[in-house]
Amino acid sequence: MRRSLEELCTKVAAETEASLVAIAEYHSPSQGVRWTYADRPLNERYKRMNVMYGKGVAGRVLQTGTAFRCENVADLPLPLREYPIVLSEKIRAFVALPIITPSLFGAVVFIAYRSPHALPDKKVCDRVSSYIQAYFQEREAVE
């Protein structure tokens, strides 16, 4: 049975005790990155966020192809503390994971906390990545 992105994000949020789980995807017409879904957002601002490749949390993860872990946003240098998704959702700690499939240039799953919280370990992050990657592969097969 194919799960929806909403169901997967709800499952990830429950498994990681996250305040917010969001998905960003590379948008080829604009050559930017857009947040396409968020579970438990504070507001709808994420829908209007469109950052250039290499900018913002998602752009940085897509550019490097590696996870971005931040246990305390206050410890980041000033420009990094001002990422749009971090500011608008009042994020204190997060992990952003790259999702790459053969025909998808890239997506990012963002697991975030609005209060101090231990980040999920590598095993949990790998499991989350596999859930979301399987979703995108199924979606690609249908399209």
Side-chain angles (χ1 to χ4, degrees), residues 88-109:
S88 73
E89 291 294 332
K90 299 181 173 136
I91 301 303
R92 302 273 306 271
F94 66 86
V95 61
L97 308 168
I99 306 296
I100 310 286
T101 65
S103 60
L104 176 71
F105 178 71
V108 173
V109 60

Side-chain angles (χ1 to χ4, degrees), residues 38-113:
D39 182 61
R40 295 187 257 170
L42 291 177
N43 54 58
E44 299 290 312
R45 289 182 192 153
Y46 75 92
K47 291 179 180 179
R48 295 187 305 272
M49 291 179 195
N50 186 24
V51 296
M52 296 306 298
Y53 179 76
K55 304 292 182 191
V57 173
R60 179 178 172 170
V61 169
L62 288 178
Q63 184 178 42
T64 63
T66 59
F68 182 2
R69 298 176 63 86
C70 176
E71 293 185 16
N72 185 355
V73 170
D75 292 341
L76 291 173
L78 185 60
L80 302 182
R81 265 186 270 160
E82 296 179 346
Y83 285 141
I85 193 77
V86 171
L87 288 175
S88 73
E89 291 294 332
K90 299 181 173 136
I91 301 303
R92 302 273 306 271
F94 66 86
V95 61
L97 308 168
I99 306 296
I100 310 286
T101 65
S103 60
L104 176 71
F105 178 71
V108 173
V109 60
F110 183 68
I111 303 166
Y113 303 90

